[in-house]
Amino acid sequence: MSVLDRFNLYVGDNLPSLSPFRGIYLIPGLYNEETLKDLEHFDVLDDDLFIITYPKSGTNWMQVVMRLVYADGDHKCLEDVVSWEATPWLDIDKDKVEQLPRPRIITSHLPHRLMPRGLQEGSAKVIYVARNPKDVIVSFYHFQKNSRFLENPNDFQSFLQMFIDGKVLMGSWFEHIQGWMDCKHPHLLYVTYEDMVKDLRSVVRRICTFLGKTLTEVQIESVVKHSSFTAMKKNPMTNYSKAEKLFEEATKFFRKGKVGDWKNHFTVAQSEWFDAVYQERMAGLGLDFTWDLPAEKPSS
Ligand code: PPS
């Protein structure tokens, strides 16, 4: 059964509550505990590339960027296969990952401690995409409201509380980023969503250097063009229109794609509360997020 068919079983009346598994929260049934336990022994290949993210941090965007980079910017690579099959999630579709041609692009939202042991050895590479957590929360809140396989959050305040407590899909953002930063993976490139918004060209150049790949400026330009918010929202292979049963409105997956939208959702009190939690939980990690960008000038 395809991963989409499995998700379709869980929508609407069959909606299960999230349940804890080794310290994170998952959708029972959809995420199979036995499979997750077996992942420890998953065979990591030397030319594998893992895209690792906490949900709502730019996963789909990096998937498309990487497909284009591997195709030297040729956008035809985005014409036939949907993202979740071309760059499948190891967490929920291990079989698909095993069928991929090499070099494989593998996606995962899992914390480092649940990943295959083989990832820490060998020469497989990891791109970790992080996003400022206030925008992650807002994106996650809207995603959960729009999705038919997750319970509708009551209101923003209770979702914020659940996020801080790590009681959302995939568990704690703080533990996710901490675990991946502490793992000291020998071939890990850390990228932020905000850097991608500010200057995707530079991020693509950094990725090429990391992979030892040479792309011409024209090819880089093509990667940037075909992975833009507008292009991905339009493309049926990337915009979730092929998974329409899973959402109230599938193309709302591409909601705003902005930095700083949190300011339209957090009250001053909520922002100060989150800042205090952030200071305490992130102390010593040395990460610096961009929380806002100047408004774009209207085009004349
Ligand atoms: S998921 O469900 O965890 O895989 O979601 P994920 O892909 O990590 O994150 C979804 C957010 O990323 C935004 N997005 C983009 N922003 C800018 N440019 C491009 N090309 C792009 N593609 C996806 C998407 O709109 C979600 O953010 P919000 O803030 O909700 O708009």
Side-chain angles (χ1 to χ4, degrees):
M1 192 187 282
S2 77
V3 70
L4 188 55
D5 291 338
R6 275 198 281 134
F7 264 86
N8 282 336
L9 290 177
Y10 287 92
V11 298
D13 295 342
N14 301 325
L15 202 66
S17 298
L18 294 180
S19 80
F21 169 78
R22 294 195 186 176
I24 58 172
Y25 280 75
L26 297 172
I27 304 170
L30 256 180
Y31 291 82
N32 180 305
E33 290 195 9
E34 285 313 307
T35 314
L36 283 169
K37 277 182 202 151
D38 286 350
L39 282 187
E40 203 182 324
H41 307 291
F42 174 81
D43 204 5
V44 177
L45 306 177
D46 274 351
D47 54 356
D48 282 344
L49 174 77
F50 286 78
I51 296 173
I52 305 290
T53 56
Y54 184 82
K56 313 322 292 178
S57 301
T59 327
N60 282 261
W61 194 4
M62 186 54 82
Q63 287 175 322
V64 169
V65 167
M66 286 316 307
R67 286 172 80 180
L68 286 160
V69 166
Y70 273 21
D72 297 332
D74 185 350
H75 64 94
K76 287 199 192 76
C77 71
L78 304 176
E79 282 177 1
D80 303 321
V81 189
V82 288
S83 292
W84 59 88
E85 289 187 355
T87 49
W89 266 264
L90 181 64
D91 338 347
I92 44 176
D93 209 359
K94 181 168 81 72
D95 293 349
K96 194 75 193 171
V97 172
E98 285 169 341
Q99 290 158 17
L100 287 178
R102 293 173 72 171
R104 310 184 293 188
I105 302 173
I106 304 169
T107 310
S108 179
H109 284 322
L110 288 175
H112 181 262
R113 63 191 165 78
L114 298 183
M115 289 298 282
R117 278 203 210 138
L119 182 61
Q120 207 63 19
E121 302 138 18
S123 55
K125 293 189 164 67
V126 177
I127 298 183
Y128 187 93
V129 188
R131 185 179 190 184
N132 90 58
K134 288 182 178 173
D135 280 334
V136 168
I137 294 167
V138 168
S139 180
F140 213 154
Y141 171 69
H142 286 286
F143 174 77
Q144 193 147 334
K145 275 173 65 153
N146 186 31
S147 107
R148 291 189 176 144
F149 56 93
L150 289 167
E151 280 172 329
N152 207 339
N154 290 337
D155 51 52
F156 187 70
Q157 172 72 19
S158 40
F159 187 78
L160 182 55
Q161 180 73 64
M162 281 162 66
F163 184 94
I164 286 174
D165 295 343
K167 291 188 173 161
V168 290
L169 184 64
M170 287 295 157
S172 164
W173 179 88
F174 300 99
E175 284 171 20
H176 197 278
I177 195 153
Q178 183 100 44
W180 278 100
M181 294 303 103
D182 284 351
C183 79
K184 306 282 177 238
H185 191 280
H187 314 288
L188 184 145
L189 179 71
Y190 174 80
V191 169
T192 67
Y193 176 91
E194 292 76 21
D195 282 347
M196 292 171 77
V197 172
K198 278 188 275 189
D199 186 0
L200 185 57
R201 267 167 214 81
S202 299
V203 172
V204 173
R205 284 191 200 106
R206 277 176 63 205
I207 290 171
C208 288
T209 306
F210 174 64
L211 297 175
K213 199 165 166 48
T214 308
L215 256 60
T216 64
E217 284 306 305
V218 173
Q219 289 168 334
I220 291 177
E221 205 47 49
S222 178
V223 174
V224 170
K225 178 176 169 195
H226 295 287
S227 65
S228 73
F229 184 83
T230 315
M232 284 180 61
K233 191 171 174 124
K234 241 193 264 167
N235 183 342
M237 294 301 139
T238 61
N239 69 7
Y240 282 90
S241 55
K242 304 256 176 227
E244 61 182 359
K245 277 198 203 157
L246 302 187
F247 300 99
E248 296 302 329
E249 212 178 311
T251 50
K252 272 199 188 159
F253 186 95
F254 292 83
R255 199 182 56 88
K256 287 197 177 170
K258 300 265 183 234
V259 177
D261 188 40
W262 63 269
K263 288 185 299 174
N264 298 316
H265 292 77
F266 281 66
T267 63
V268 172
Q270 286 168 338
S271 179
E272 287 175 357
W273 172 35
F274 187 82
D275 289 347
V277 175
Y278 180 90
Q279 295 305 335
E280 191 193 322
R281 305 280 310 265
M282 298 291 282
L285 208 53
L287 293 180
D288 198 11
F289 283 102
T290 299
W291 301 91
D292 195 13
L293 287 176
E296 286 164 27
K297 289 195 189 99
S299 48
S300 49

